[in-house]
Amino acid sequence: MKTRIIISIVFLGLGFILAAIPQNTTLKYKLTAEELLTEANNSVMFYSPDEVAQLLIQKDPNIRLIDVRTPDDYDKYALPNAINIPLSDLLSETYRDFLDQDVYQNILYSNGTTDAVKAWMILRQLGWENNFVLQGGLNYWAETILNPQAPPSTVASDEIARYDFRKGASQSLGGGSLESTEASVSSAAPKPMVKSTPKKKKAQGGC
């Protein structure tokens, strides 16, 4: 309950900030501040670390991980196959085809939650869909997936099952190598390049 209250306060503050930003003439906002706050308070944007781990293990082709941290942070550590679109460059035309599309479920992440949620709020206010947020960011990912703590033997069976899943996911996804996202950790996997793709062509003809 306390976490929900804190998240609501954060969203409320960010909502007021976004509502105060004057609309630009290039990208029109599609959602009102009230509509955005409704979505934010319903937490519709979150993928839990367990859900993301499951999708990665299954090699789900429909998800795309997007690291919104700085290139330096991304080079030190990134989730498997994640691409880097820094928050400061979010509205660059270079990245629009990655963020305004209907093919992938984009999952944004940062060290914590704040920067990824900022990115999500901007994209949603523009009306761009299929963008989500890794709940708790890399810090929570490291705590729950990469370095899960064994629960007491007296807890409910579903807690034991959750720990067993996380332990397996940790082994599959390189767990234990990330003590903290602030640490300098190198990833052995090559980073995918962000390449601009041709814009979609509108259908011609018809009534």
Side-chain angles (χ1 to χ4, degrees), residues 48-118:
S48 73
D50 291 314
E51 291 173 321
V52 173
Q54 184 70 55
L55 293 170
L56 288 176
I57 292 170
Q58 294 175 341
K59 301 184 186 303
D60 190 314
N62 298 312
I63 67 162
R64 179 164 55 197
L65 299 173
I66 298 180
D67 190 326
V68 300
R69 300 174 303 156
T70 65
D72 284 346
D73 285 340
Y74 171 76
D75 287 340
K76 291 174 183 174
Y77 177 82
L79 293 180
N81 297 317
I83 62 174
N84 184 216
I85 300 180
L87 178 61
S88 58
D89 295 332
L90 194 71
L91 299 182
S92 168
E93 192 62 27
T94 301
Y95 302 123
R96 177 159 183 166
D97 289 341
F98 291 87
L99 301 169
D100 182 16
Q101 50 81 47
D102 56 6
V103 176
Y104 294 98
Q105 301 284 305
N106 287 334
I107 302 176
L108 315 171
Y109 70 84
S110 52
N111 283 339
T113 300
T114 303
D115 283 351
V117 169
K118 285 180 183 176

Side-chain angles (χ1 to χ4, degrees), residues 9-24 27-40 45 87 90-91 114-127:
I9 292 173
V10 170
F11 287 149
L12 187 62
L14 291 172
F16 284 129
I17 292 172
L18 285 174
I21 298 174
Q23 294 189 11
N24 64 59
L27 298 170
K28 299 291 186 181
Y29 292 145
K30 301 291 180 60
L31 272 67
T32 65
E34 289 76 14
E35 291 171 331
L36 189 59
L37 278 176
T38 298
E39 289 195 15
M45 81 293 282
L87 178 61
L90 194 71
L91 299 182
T114 303
D115 283 351
V117 169
K118 285 180 183 176
W120 175 84
M121 294 183 81
I122 293 170
L123 298 176
R124 279 302 297 134
Q125 199 162 33
L126 291 170

